[in-house]
Amino acid sequence: MASAALRRAAQLFRSGPTSFHKAWLHSSVAPPPSGFFTPVDGVMLQTGSFNDRVAFITGGGTGLGRAMTTTLSQLGARCVIASRKLDVLQQTAEEISSQTGNQVHAVQCDVRDPEAVSRCVDRMEALTGLPDVIVNNAAGNFVCPSERLSPNAWRSVTDIVLNGTAFVTLELGKRLIQGQRGASFLAITTTYAESGSGFVAPSASAKAGVEALYKSLAAEWGRYGHRFNVIQPGPIRTKGAFSRLDPTGCFQKEMISRIPTGRLGTPTEIANLAAYVSSGYASWMSGAVIRLDGGEYVSMAGEFNELRRLTPDQWKAMEAKIRSAKGS
């Protein structure tokens, strides 16, 4: 005898696809968080992988920038971190230096201002020399309906993300070329740089521009010994990002429900990938855009992926209906 759930599913299906679709779309049944993909803490590469190398990280005082700086410093790099807030930078530099035993230098820089970028690079050259590794991580973002965006709101994001990345990359690239020095350039973007996304149009546009810039320079500046790569992180809880993109915390559960690996990413995972991409182990990698998101992008992209919400009884009803269908 058919169960009550099966009879209900069959009734919904007979009443039309719209009713059936609404029933499973709003079903509380969803894939449980996976226990197979727990994050591994710690540094992936061998100790000393960045000995005698200098790394420059924008936005290095907090969040992902801090995590990447910590990992590179643990691996032996002399790190220079830059952002507008010198007090935050100095505190981070002191804490990481104490933790790793390698001195981290803090240099104030507003990446939106090309003259400030030039002064920052002057200061870095005096402290450490030109860098071997450049990580363009500085960013700004907030959620907003596009019809409410002002020109200043648009510029507040695009000036940091696109113009700032360009100013830093071009200033350092020109000096490195003049000095006949090779380097690895890495930009941190986002998965929706590829797809676009409502409510973050300035960020999506600017990040897409960064990816186009890095792919262009990978083709043009490889002859100078320069590599250009991009990491697209999925959702990772950091204080700065989530306070502006999920201030109430209401979206986190929904985020996790659509990530096949069943969890958010961690700063350490991004830091380990960034270290690998920037290392000699990846010297043949250039022009790459690497998505690290637990499968979220492909989960949202597939037209039929929401069928994972169906219960076994609903599947039985659907399969019976499919088997009984005639014609094309």
Side-chain angles (χ1 to χ4, degrees), residues 11 62 67 85 117 123 130 139 158 189 211 217 254 257 263 300:
Q11 181 182 359
T62 59
K85 297 180 179 179
V117 170
R123 176 63 175 155
L130 288 171
T158 57
T189 63
E211 293 189 1
L217 290 176
E254 179 62 26
S257 74
R263 63 173 176 85
M300 293 190 297

Side-chain angles (χ1 to χ4, degrees), residues 31-221:
S34 173
F36 293 105
F37 304 105
T38 55
V40 176
D41 202 11
V43 178
M44 179 177 71
L45 294 183
Q46 296 177 355
T47 301
S49 295
F50 284 83
N51 282 355
D52 303 320
R53 302 185 73 188
V54 174
F56 177 64
I57 304 98
T58 67
T62 59
L64 295 181
R66 178 182 178 126
M68 289 185 286
T69 302
T70 301
T71 294
L72 290 168
S73 182
Q74 287 174 323
L75 292 169
R78 289 180 293 159
C79 294
V80 179
I81 56 177
S83 76
R84 285 176 291 171
K85 297 180 179 179
L86 185 58
D87 56 337
V88 174
L89 283 176
Q90 289 174 333
Q91 181 178 347
T92 296
E94 291 172 4
E95 290 172 354
I96 295 176
S97 297
S98 175
Q99 176 184 345
T100 67
N102 290 324
Q103 186 174 8
V104 176
H105 301 276
V107 180
Q108 189 172 31
C109 182
D110 184 347
V111 297
R112 301 171 300 179
D113 179 356
E115 293 183 0
V117 170
S118 181
R119 291 193 299 269
C120 172
V121 175
D122 287 341
R123 176 63 175 155
M124 177 171 51
E125 280 202 83
L127 289 168
T128 63
L130 288 171
D132 306 282
V133 172
I134 299 97
V135 181
N136 274 291
N137 170 70
N141 198 9
F142 55 86
V143 289
C144 180
S146 295
E147 67 271 21
R148 298 174 63 88
L149 283 171
S150 67
N152 283 338
W154 178 272
R155 282 194 295 266
S156 70
V157 174
T158 57
D159 275 356
I160 297 172
V161 175
L162 179 55
N163 292 339
T165 298
F167 295 153
V168 169
T169 300
L170 294 172
E171 180 68 31
L172 281 167
K174 290 172 184 178
R175 296 197 195 197
L176 287 161
I177 291 169
Q178 186 175 15
Q180 298 184 323
R181 292 273 307 279
S184 167
F185 290 79
L186 175 65
I188 307 301
T189 63
T190 179
T191 55
Y192 59 73
E194 190 171 340
S195 64
S197 177
F199 306 100
V200 285
S203 173
S205 302
K207 294 285 193 182
V210 168
E211 293 189 1
L213 170 66
Y214 266 45
K215 286 183 280 190
S216 299
L217 290 176
E220 185 180 351
W221 281 3

